[in-house]
Amino acid sequence: GVDLTALLKYLGQRDIMALFVEGGPSLAGVLIRRRLVDKFRFFYAPKILGADALSACGSLGLDTVSAAQAMRLSGVQQLDHDALITAYPCSQD
C-alpha cells in the first residue's frame, strides 16, 4: 500500500494544503485511526438505510463511545435535500 503519512508530507511540500478523500470505508478508517484528518465534512441524506447499508468508515477498533474521536462542530449547511456538516477533531490529550 501507500505510505499515507509520506504522501501527505509530499503534498504539503508542494503547497497542497487541502485534499478531498473519497476512497471508501477502508481508506477513511485508516486515515482516522492514524489521526491524519484535520477536517471532516459529512454529507447526510435524509434516508434510513438500516444495518444492511455500507459503512462510511471502516473499523476504528473502538470498545466504547467514550473512546470515540470527539469533534468540534463548525457548521451545518443545507444542500437541496441533504445536509453538509463540517467538524474538526478535538485534541486527544
Side-chain angles (χ1 to χ4, degrees):
V2 174
D3 182 337
L4 296 173
T5 304
L7 174 61
L8 293 175
K9 183 176 180 178
Y10 172 84
L11 294 172
Q13 290 169 343
R14 279 143 189 83
D15 294 325
I16 298 173
M17 300 304 182
L19 183 65
F20 182 79
V21 178
E22 190 175 30
S26 295
L27 179 57
V30 169
L31 290 168
I32 293 168
R33 274 195 314 275
R34 294 186 185 171
R35 300 192 187 284
L36 297 174
V37 180
D38 60 7
K39 179 180 182 181
F40 291 88
R41 298 191 82 185
F42 301 102
F43 292 89
Y44 286 101
K47 298 178 188 227
I48 298 173
L49 300 175
D52 299 336
L54 294 174
S55 174
C57 180
S59 175
L60 298 178
L62 302 175
D63 295 351
T64 63
V65 173
S66 63
Q69 169 69 62
M71 293 190 219
R72 178 181 52 82
L73 184 64
S74 173
V76 178
Q77 180 181 2
Q78 185 170 346
L79 304 171
D80 195 22
H81 297 289
D82 300 337
L84 168 60
I85 298 175
T86 303
Y88 294 90
C90 296
S91 62
Q92 304 251 314
D93 299 326

Coordinates of all heavy atoms in Angstrom, one line a residue:
G1 N 0.8 -1.2 0.0 CA 0.0 0.0 0.0 C 0.9 1.3 0.0 O 2.1 1.2 -0.1
V2 N 0.2 2.3 0.0 CA 0.8 3.7 0.0 C 1.1 4.1 1.4 O 0.3 4.0 2.3 CB -0.1 4.7 -0.7 CG1 0.4 6.1 -0.6 CG2 -0.4 4.3 -2.1
D3 N 2.3 4.7 1.7 CA 2.6 5.3 2.9 C 1.9 6.7 3.0 O 2.3 7.7 2.4 CB 4.1 5.5 3.0 CG 4.6 6.1 4.4 OD1 3.7 6.7 5.1 OD2 5.7 5.9 4.7
L4 N 0.8 6.7 3.7 CA -0.1 7.9 3.7 C 0.6 9.1 4.4 O 0.4 10.2 3.9 CB -1.4 7.5 4.4 CG -2.3 6.5 3.7 CD1 -3.5 6.1 4.5 CD2 -2.7 7.0 2.3
T5 N 1.3 8.8 5.4 CA 2.0 9.9 6.1 C 3.0 10.6 5.2 O 3.1 11.8 5.0 CB 2.7 9.5 7.4 OG1 1.7 8.8 8.2 CG2 3.3 10.6 8.1
A6 N 3.8 9.8 4.5 CA 4.8 10.3 3.5 C 4.1 11.0 2.3 O 4.5 12.0 1.9 CB 5.6 9.1 3.0
L7 N 3.0 10.4 1.9 CA 2.2 11.1 0.8 C 1.7 12.5 1.2 O 1.9 13.4 0.4 CB 1.0 10.2 0.3 CG 0.1 10.8 -0.7 CD1 0.8 11.1 -2.0 CD2 -1.1 9.9 -0.9
L8 N 1.1 12.6 2.4 CA 0.6 13.9 2.8 C 1.8 14.9 3.0 O 1.6 16.1 2.7 CB -0.2 13.7 4.1 CG -1.5 12.9 4.0 CD1 -2.1 12.7 5.3 CD2 -2.4 13.6 3.0
K9 N 2.9 14.4 3.5 CA 4.1 15.3 3.7 C 4.5 15.7 2.3 O 4.8 16.9 2.1 CB 5.2 14.5 4.4 CG 6.4 15.4 4.7 CD 7.4 14.6 5.5 CE 8.6 15.5 5.7 NZ 9.6 14.8 6.6
Y10 N 4.6 14.9 1.3 CA 5.0 15.2 0.0 C 4.1 16.2 -0.6 O 4.5 17.2 -1.2 CB 5.0 13.9 -0.9 CG 5.2 14.1 -2.3 CD1 6.5 14.2 -2.9 CD2 4.1 14.2 -3.2 CE1 6.7 14.4 -4.2 CE2 4.3 14.4 -4.6 CZ 5.6 14.5 -5.1 OH 5.8 14.7 -6.4
L11 N 2.8 16.1 -0.5 CA 1.8 17.0 -1.0 C 2.0 18.4 -0.3 O 1.9 19.4 -0.9 CB 0.4 16.5 -0.8 CG 0.0 15.3 -1.7 CD1 -1.3 14.7 -1.3 CD2 0.1 15.6 -3.1
G12 N 2.2 18.4 1.0 CA 2.4 19.6 1.8 C 3.6 20.4 1.3 O 3.6 21.6 1.2
Q13 N 4.7 19.6 1.0 CA 5.9 20.3 0.5 C 5.7 20.9 -0.9 O 6.4 21.8 -1.3 CB 7.0 19.2 0.4 CG 7.5 18.8 1.7 CD 8.4 17.6 1.6 OE1 8.5 16.9 0.6 NE2 9.2 17.3 2.7
R14 N 4.6 20.6 -1.5 CA 4.3 21.2 -2.8 C 3.1 22.1 -2.7 O 2.4 22.4 -3.7 CB 4.0 20.1 -3.8 CG 5.3 19.5 -4.4 CD 5.3 18.1 -4.7 NE 6.6 17.6 -5.0 CZ 7.6 17.3 -4.1 NH1 7.3 17.5 -2.8 NH2 8.7 16.9 -4.5
D15 N 2.9 22.6 -1.5 CA 1.9 23.6 -1.1 C 0.4 23.1 -1.4 O -0.5 23.9 -1.7 CB 2.1 24.9 -1.9 CG 3.4 25.6 -1.4 OD1 3.7 25.5 -0.1 OD2 4.1 26.2 -2.2
I16 N 0.2 21.8 -1.4 CA -1.1 21.3 -1.5 C -1.6 21.1 0.0 O -1.2 20.2 0.7 CB -1.2 20.0 -2.3 CG1 -0.7 20.2 -3.7 CG2 -2.6 19.4 -2.2 CD1 -0.6 19.0 -4.5
M17 N -2.5 22.0 0.4 CA -2.9 22.0 1.8 C -4.2 21.5 2.1 O -4.7 21.4 3.2 CB -2.8 23.5 2.3 CG -1.4 24.0 2.2 SD -0.3 23.0 3.1 CE 1.2 23.8 2.9
A18 N -5.0 21.1 1.0 CA -6.3 20.5 1.2 C -6.4 19.3 0.3 O -6.0 19.4 -0.9 CB -7.4 21.5 0.9
L19 N -7.0 18.3 0.8 CA -7.2 17.1 0.0 C -8.6 16.5 0.3 O -8.9 16.2 1.5 CB -6.1 16.1 0.4 CG -6.0 14.8 -0.4 CD1 -5.7 15.0 -1.9 CD2 -5.0 13.9 0.2
F20 N -9.4 16.3 -0.7 CA -10.7 15.7 -0.5 C -10.5 14.2 -0.8 O -10.1 13.8 -1.8 CB -11.7 16.3 -1.5 CG -13.1 15.7 -1.4 CD1 -13.9 16.2 -0.3 CD2 -13.5 14.8 -2.2 CE1 -15.2 15.7 -0.2 CE2 -14.8 14.3 -2.1 CZ -15.7 14.7 -1.1
V21 N -10.8 13.4 0.3 CA -10.6 12.0 0.2 C -11.9 11.3 0.1 O -12.7 11.4 1.1 CB -9.7 11.4 1.3 CG1 -9.6 9.9 1.3 CG2 -8.4 12.1 1.4
E22 N -12.2 10.6 -0.9 CA -13.4 9.8 -1.1 C -13.0 8.4 -1.6 O -13.2 8.1 -2.8 CB -14.4 10.5 -2.0 CG -15.8 9.9 -2.0 CD -16.7 10.7 -2.9 OE1 -16.3 11.4 -3.8 OE2 -17.9 10.7 -2.5
G23 N -12.5 7.6 -0.7 CA -11.9 6.4 -1.2 C -12.6 5.1 -0.6 O -12.1 4.0 -0.8
G24 N -13.7 5.3 0.1 CA -14.4 4.2 0.7 C -14.0 4.0 2.2 O -13.2 4.7 2.8
P25 N -14.7 3.1 2.8 CA -14.6 2.9 4.3 C -13.2 2.5 4.8 O -12.8 2.9 5.8 CB -15.7 1.9 4.6 CG -16.1 1.3 3.4 CD -15.7 2.2 2.3
S26 N -12.5 1.7 4.0 CA -11.2 1.2 4.4 C -10.2 2.4 4.5 O -9.5 2.5 5.5 CB -10.7 0.2 3.5 OG -11.5 -1.0 3.5
L27 N -10.1 3.2 3.5 CA -9.2 4.3 3.5 C -9.6 5.3 4.6 O -8.8 5.8 5.3 CB -9.2 5.0 2.1 CG -8.3 6.2 2.0 CD1 -6.9 5.9 2.4 CD2 -8.4 6.8 0.6
A28 N -10.9 5.6 4.7 CA -11.4 6.5 5.7 C -11.0 6.1 7.1 O -10.5 6.8 7.9 CB -12.9 6.7 5.6
G29 N -11.2 4.8 7.4 CA -10.8 4.2 8.7 C -9.3 4.3 9.0 O -8.9 4.7 10.1
V30 N -8.5 4.1 8.0 CA -7.0 4.2 8.2 C -6.7 5.6 8.5 O -5.9 5.9 9.4 CB -6.3 3.7 6.9 CG1 -4.8 4.0 7.0 CG2 -6.4 2.2 6.8
L31 N -7.2 6.6 7.7 CA -6.9 8.0 7.9 C -7.3 8.5 9.3 O -6.5 9.2 10.0 CB -7.5 8.8 6.8 CG -6.9 8.7 5.4 CD1 -7.8 9.4 4.4 CD2 -5.5 9.3 5.4
I32 N -8.4 8.0 9.8 CA -8.9 8.4 11.1 C -8.1 7.8 12.2 O -7.7 8.4 13.1 CB -10.4 8.1 11.2 CG1 -11.2 9.0 10.3 CG2 -10.9 8.3 12.7 CD1 -12.7 8.6 10.1
R33 N -7.9 6.5 12.1 CA -7.1 5.8 13.1 C -5.7 6.4 13.2 O -5.2 6.5 14.4 CB -6.9 4.3 12.7 CG -8.0 3.4 13.2 CD -7.7 1.9 13.1 NE -7.1 1.5 11.9 CZ -7.7 1.1 10.8 NH1 -9.0 1.2 10.7 NH2 -7.0 0.7 9.7
R34 N -5.1 6.8 12.2 CA -3.7 7.4 12.2 C -3.7 8.9 12.5 O -2.7 9.5 12.5 CB -3.0 7.1 10.9 CG -2.8 5.6 10.7 CD -1.9 5.4 9.4 NE -1.8 4.0 9.1 CZ -1.2 3.5 8.0 NH1 -0.8 4.4 7.1 NH2 -1.1 2.3 7.9
R35 N -4.9 9.4 12.7 CA -5.1 10.8 13.1 C -4.5 11.7 12.0 O -3.8 12.7 12.2 CB -4.5 11.2 14.4 CG -5.2 10.4 15.5 CD -4.8 10.9 16.9 NE -5.3 10.1 18.0 CZ -6.5 10.0 18.4 NH1 -7.4 10.7 17.8 NH2 -6.9 9.2 19.4
L36 N -4.8 11.4 10.7 CA -4.3 12.1 9.6 C -5.4 13.1 9.0 O -5.2 13.7 8.0 CB -3.8 11.2 8.5 CG -2.6 10.3 8.9 CD1 -2.3 9.3 7.8 CD2 -1.4 11.2 9.2
V37 N -6.5 13.1 9.7 CA -7.6 14.0 9.2 C -7.7 15.2 10.2 O -7.8 15.1 11.4 CB -9.0 13.2 9.3 CG1 -10.1 14.1 8.8 CG2 -8.9 12.0 8.4
D38 N -7.7 16.4 9.6 CA -7.8 17.6 10.4 C -9.1 18.4 10.2 O -9.4 19.3 10.8 CB -6.6 18.5 10.3 CG -6.4 19.0 8.8 OD1 -7.3 18.8 8.0 OD2 -5.4 19.7 8.6
K39 N -9.9 17.9 9.2 CA -11.3 18.5 9.0 C -12.2 17.4 8.4 O -11.8 16.7 7.5 CB -11.1 19.6 8.0 CG -12.4 20.3 7.6 CD -12.2 21.5 6.6 CE -13.4 22.2 6.3 NZ -13.1 23.3 5.3
F40 N -13.4 17.3 8.9 CA -14.3 16.4 8.4 C -15.5 17.1 7.8 O -15.9 18.1 8.3 CB -14.9 15.5 9.6 CG -13.9 14.6 10.2 CD1 -13.1 15.0 11.2 CD2 -13.9 13.3 9.7 CE1 -12.2 14.1 11.8 CE2 -13.0 12.4 10.3 CZ -12.1 12.8 11.4
R41 N -16.0 16.6 6.7 CA -17.2 17.1 6.0 C -18.1 15.9 5.8 O -17.8 15.0 5.0 CB -16.8 17.8 4.7 CG -15.9 19.0 5.0 CD -15.7 19.9 3.9 NE -16.9 20.8 3.9 CZ -17.1 21.6 2.9 NH1 -16.3 21.7 1.9 NH2 -18.1 22.4 2.9
F42 N -19.2 15.9 6.5 CA -20.1 14.8 6.4 C -21.3 15.2 5.6 O -21.9 16.3 5.9 CB -20.6 14.4 7.8 CG -19.5 14.0 8.8 CD1 -19.0 14.8 9.7 CD2 -19.0 12.7 8.7 CE1 -18.0 14.4 10.6 CE2 -18.0 12.3 9.6 CZ -17.5 13.1 10.5
F43 N -21.7 14.4 4.6 CA -22.8 14.7 3.8 C -23.9 13.7 4.3 O -23.7 12.5 4.3 CB -22.6 14.5 2.3 CG -21.6 15.5 1.8 CD1 -20.3 15.4 1.8 CD2 -22.1 16.7 1.2 CE1 -19.4 16.3 1.3 CE2 -21.3 17.7 0.7 CZ -19.9 17.5 0.7
Y44 N -25.0 14.2 4.7 CA -26.1 13.4 5.2 C -27.4 13.6 4.3 O -27.7 14.7 4.0 CB -26.5 13.8 6.6 CG -25.6 13.3 7.7 CD1 -24.6 14.2 8.2 CD2 -25.6 12.0 8.1 CE1 -23.7 13.8 9.2 CE2 -24.6 11.6 9.0 CZ -23.7 12.5 9.6 OH -22.8 12.0 10.5
A45 N -27.9 12.5 3.9 CA -29.2 12.5 3.1 C -30.3 11.9 4.1 O -30.0 11.0 4.9 CB -29.1 11.5 1.9
P46 N -31.4 12.5 4.1 CA -32.5 12.1 5.0 C -33.1 10.8 4.5 O -34.2 10.7 4.0 CB -33.5 13.3 5.0 CG -33.3 13.9 3.6 CD -31.8 13.7 3.3
K47 N -32.3 9.7 4.7 CA -32.8 8.4 4.3 C -32.4 7.4 5.4 O -31.3 7.5 6.0 CB -32.2 8.0 3.0 CG -32.6 8.9 1.8 CD -31.9 8.5 0.5 CE -32.2 9.6 -0.5 NZ -32.6 9.2 -1.7
I48 N -33.2 6.4 5.6 CA -32.9 5.4 6.6 C -32.5 4.1 5.8 O -33.3 3.6 5.0 CB -34.2 5.1 7.5 CG1 -34.5 6.4 8.2 CG2 -33.9 3.9 8.4 CD1 -35.8 6.3 9.0
L49 N -31.3 3.7 6.0 CA -30.8 2.5 5.3 C -30.7 1.2 6.1 O -30.8 0.1 5.6 CB -29.4 2.8 4.8 CG -29.3 4.0 3.8 CD1 -27.9 4.3 3.5 CD2 -30.1 3.8 2.6
G50 N -30.6 1.4 7.4 CA -30.6 0.2 8.3 C -29.2 -0.5 8.3 O -28.3 0.0 7.7
A51 N -29.2 -1.6 8.9 CA -27.9 -2.4 9.2 C -27.3 -2.9 7.9 O -26.2 -3.3 7.8 CB -28.2 -3.5 10.2
D52 N -28.1 -3.0 6.8 CA -27.6 -3.6 5.5 C -26.8 -2.6 4.7 O -26.1 -3.0 3.8 CB -28.8 -4.1 4.7 CG -29.6 -5.2 5.3 OD1 -29.0 -5.9 6.2 OD2 -30.8 -5.3 5.0
A53 N -26.8 -1.3 5.2 CA -26.1 -0.3 4.4 C -24.6 -0.4 4.5 O -24.1 -1.0 5.5 CB -26.5 1.1 4.9
L54 N -23.9 0.2 3.6 CA -22.4 0.2 3.6 C -22.0 1.2 4.6 O -22.6 2.3 4.8 CB -21.9 0.6 2.3 CG -22.1 -0.4 1.1 CD1 -21.6 0.2 -0.2 CD2 -21.3 -1.7 1.5
S55 N -20.9 1.0 5.3 CA -20.4 1.9 6.3 C -19.6 3.0 5.6 O -18.9 2.7 4.6 CB -19.5 1.1 7.3 OG -18.9 2.0 8.2
A56 N -19.6 4.2 6.1 CA -18.8 5.3 5.6 C -17.4 5.2 6.1 O -16.5 5.7 5.5 CB -19.4 6.6 6.0
C57 N -17.2 4.5 7.2 CA -15.8 4.4 7.8 C -15.6 2.9 8.2 O -16.4 2.3 8.8 CB -15.8 5.3 9.0 SG -14.2 5.3 9.8
G58 N -14.4 2.5 7.9 CA -14.0 1.1 8.3 C -13.8 1.1 9.8 O -13.9 2.0 10.6
S59 N -13.4 -0.1 10.3 CA -13.2 -0.3 11.7 C -12.2 0.6 12.3 O -11.1 0.9 11.8 CB -12.8 -1.8 12.0 OG -12.5 -1.9 13.4
L60 N -12.6 1.2 13.5 CA -11.7 2.1 14.2 C -11.1 1.4 15.5 O -10.3 2.0 16.2 CB -12.3 3.4 14.6 CG -12.8 4.2 13.4 CD1 -13.5 5.5 13.8 CD2 -11.6 4.6 12.5
G61 N -11.6 0.2 15.8 CA -11.1 -0.5 16.9 C -11.6 0.1 18.2 O -10.8 0.0 19.2
L62 N -12.7 0.7 18.3 CA -13.2 1.3 19.5 C -14.1 0.3 20.3 O -14.9 -0.4 19.8 CB -14.0 2.6 19.1 CG -13.3 3.6 18.3 CD1 -14.3 4.7 17.9 CD2 -12.1 4.2 19.1
D63 N -13.9 0.4 21.6 CA -14.6 -0.5 22.5 C -15.8 0.2 23.1 O -16.8 -0.4 23.5 CB -13.7 -1.1 23.6 CG -12.7 -2.0 23.1 OD1 -12.7 -2.3 21.9 OD2 -11.8 -2.3 23.9
T64 N -15.7 1.6 23.3 CA -16.7 2.3 24.0 C -16.9 3.7 23.3 O -16.1 4.1 22.5 CB -16.3 2.7 25.4 OG1 -15.1 3.5 25.4 CG2 -16.0 1.4 26.2
V65 N -18.1 4.3 23.5 CA -18.4 5.6 22.9 C -17.4 6.6 23.5 O -16.9 7.5 22.7 CB -19.8 6.0 23.3 CG1 -20.1 7.4 22.8 CG2 -20.8 5.0 22.6
S66 N -17.0 6.5 24.7 CA -16.0 7.5 25.3 C -14.6 7.4 24.6 O -13.9 8.4 24.6 CB -15.9 7.2 26.8 OG -15.3 6.0 27.0
A67 N -14.3 6.3 23.9 CA -13.1 6.2 23.2 C -13.2 6.8 21.8 O -12.1 7.0 21.1 CB -12.7 4.8 23.0
A68 N -14.3 7.2 21.3 CA -14.5 7.8 20.0 C -13.9 9.2 19.9 O -13.7 9.9 20.9 CB -16.0 7.9 19.7
Q69 N -13.5 9.5 18.6 CA -12.9 10.8 18.3 C -14.0 11.9 18.6 O -15.0 11.9 18.0 CB -12.5 10.9 16.9 CG -12.1 12.3 16.4 CD -10.8 12.8 17.0 OE1 -9.8 12.2 16.8 NE2 -10.9 13.9 17.7
A70 N -13.7 12.8 19.5 CA -14.5 14.0 19.8 C -14.3 15.0 18.7 O -13.2 15.1 18.2 CB -14.3 14.6 21.1
M71 N -15.4 15.7 18.3 CA -15.2 16.7 17.3 C -15.9 18.0 17.7 O -16.8 18.0 18.5 CB -15.9 16.2 16.0 CG -15.2 15.1 15.4 SD -15.8 14.8 13.7 CE -15.8 13.0 13.8
R72 N -15.4 19.1 17.1 CA -16.0 20.4 17.3 C -16.8 20.8 16.1 O -16.2 20.9 15.0 CB -14.9 21.5 17.6 CG -15.4 22.9 17.7 CD -14.2 23.9 17.9 NE -13.2 23.8 16.9 CZ -13.2 24.4 15.7 NH1 -14.3 25.1 15.4 NH2 -12.2 24.2 14.9
L73 N -18.1 21.0 16.2 CA -19.0 21.3 15.1 C -18.6 22.7 14.6 O -18.6 23.7 15.4 CB -20.4 21.2 15.6 CG -21.5 21.5 14.5 CD1 -21.4 20.4 13.4 CD2 -22.8 21.5 15.1
S74 N -18.4 22.9 13.3 CA -18.1 24.2 12.8 C -19.2 24.8 12.0 O -19.4 26.0 11.9 CB -16.9 24.0 11.9 OG -16.6 25.2 11.2
G75 N -20.0 23.9 11.3 CA -21.1 24.5 10.5 C -22.0 23.4 10.0 O -21.6 22.2 9.8
V76 N -23.2 23.8 9.7 CA -24.2 22.9 9.1 C -24.9 23.7 7.9 O -25.3 24.9 8.1 CB -25.3 22.5 10.1 CG1 -26.4 21.6 9.4 CG2 -24.7 21.8 11.3
Q77 N -24.9 23.1 6.8 CA -25.4 23.8 5.6 C -26.4 22.8 4.9 O -26.1 21.6 4.7 CB -24.3 24.1 4.7 CG -24.6 24.8 3.4 CD -23.4 25.1 2.6 OE1 -22.2 24.7 2.9 NE2 -23.6 25.7 1.4
Q78 N -27.5 23.3 4.5 CA -28.5 22.5 3.7 C -28.1 22.6 2.3 O -27.9 23.7 1.7 CB -29.9 23.0 4.0 CG -30.9 22.1 3.3 CD -32.4 22.4 3.7 OE1 -32.6 23.1 4.6 NE2 -33.3 21.8 2.9
L79 N -28.0 21.5 1.6 CA -27.8 21.4 0.2 C -28.9 20.6 -0.5 O -28.9 19.4 -0.4 CB -26.4 20.7 -0.1 CG -25.2 21.3 0.6 CD1 -24.0 20.4 0.4 CD2 -24.9 22.7 -0.1
D80 N -29.9 21.4 -1.0 CA -31.1 20.8 -1.6 C -31.8 20.0 -0.5 O -32.2 20.5 0.5 CB -30.7 19.9 -2.8 CG -32.0 19.6 -3.7 OD1 -33.0 20.3 -3.6 OD2 -31.9 18.6 -4.4
H81 N -31.8 18.6 -0.6 CA -32.5 17.8 0.4 C -31.5 17.2 1.4 O -31.9 16.5 2.4 CB -33.3 16.7 -0.2 CG -34.4 17.2 -1.1 ND1 -35.5 17.8 -0.5 CD2 -34.6 17.2 -2.4 CE1 -36.4 18.1 -1.5 NE2 -35.8 17.8 -2.7
D82 N -30.2 17.5 1.2 CA -29.2 16.9 2.1 C -28.6 18.0 3.0 O -28.9 19.1 2.9 CB -28.0 16.3 1.2 CG -28.5 15.2 0.3 OD1 -29.6 14.6 0.6 OD2 -27.9 15.0 -0.8
A83 N -27.7 17.5 3.9 CA -27.1 18.4 4.8 C -25.6 18.2 4.8 O -25.1 17.0 4.6 CB -27.5 18.2 6.3
L84 N -24.8 19.2 4.9 CA -23.3 19.1 4.9 C -22.9 19.6 6.3 O -23.2 20.8 6.7 CB -22.7 20.0 3.8 CG -21.2 20.3 4.0 CD1 -20.4 19.0 3.9 CD2 -20.7 21.2 2.9
I85 N -22.3 18.8 7.1 CA -21.8 19.1 8.4 C -20.3 19.2 8.4 O -19.6 18.2 7.9 CB -22.3 18.1 9.4 CG1 -23.8 18.1 9.5 CG2 -21.7 18.4 10.8 CD1 -24.5 17.1 10.3
T86 N -19.7 20.3 8.8 CA -18.3 20.4 8.9 C -17.9 20.4 10.4 O -18.5 21.0 11.2 CB -17.9 21.8 8.3 OG1 -18.3 21.8 7.0 CG2 -16.3 21.9 8.3
A87 N -16.9 19.6 10.7 CA -16.4 19.4 12.1 C -14.9 19.2 12.1 O -14.3 18.8 11.1 CB -17.1 18.2 12.7
Y88 N -14.3 19.6 13.2 CA -12.8 19.5 13.4 C -12.6 18.6 14.6 O -13.3 18.7 15.6 CB -12.2 20.8 13.6 CG -12.3 21.7 12.4 CD1 -13.4 22.6 12.2 CD2 -11.3 21.7 11.4 CE1 -13.5 23.4 11.1 CE2 -11.4 22.5 10.3 CZ -12.5 23.4 10.2 OH -12.6 24.2 9.1
P89 N -11.6 17.7 14.5 CA -11.3 16.8 15.6 C -10.8 17.6 16.8 O -10.0 18.6 16.6 CB -10.2 15.9 15.1 CG -9.7 16.5 13.8 CD -10.7 17.5 13.3
C90 N -11.2 17.3 18.0 CA -10.7 17.9 19.2 C -9.4 17.2 19.5 O -9.2 16.0 19.2 CB -11.7 17.7 20.3 SG -13.3 18.5 20.1
S91 N -8.5 17.9 20.2 CA -7.3 17.3 20.6 C -7.6 16.2 21.6 O -8.4 16.3 22.4 CB -6.3 18.3 21.1 OG -6.8 18.9 22.3
Q92 N -6.8 15.1 21.5 CA -7.0 14.0 22.4 C -5.8 13.9 23.4 O -4.8 13.4 23.0 CB -7.1 12.7 21.6 CG -8.2 12.7 20.6 CD -9.3 11.8 20.9 OE1 -9.1 10.7 21.3 NE2 -10.5 12.3 20.8
D93 N -6.0 14.5 24.5 CA -4.9 14.6 25.5 C -4.8 13.4 26.3 O -5.7 12.7 26.6 CB -5.0 15.8 26.4 CG -5.0 17.1 25.5 OD1 -4.2 17.1 24.5 OD2 -5.7 18.1 25.9

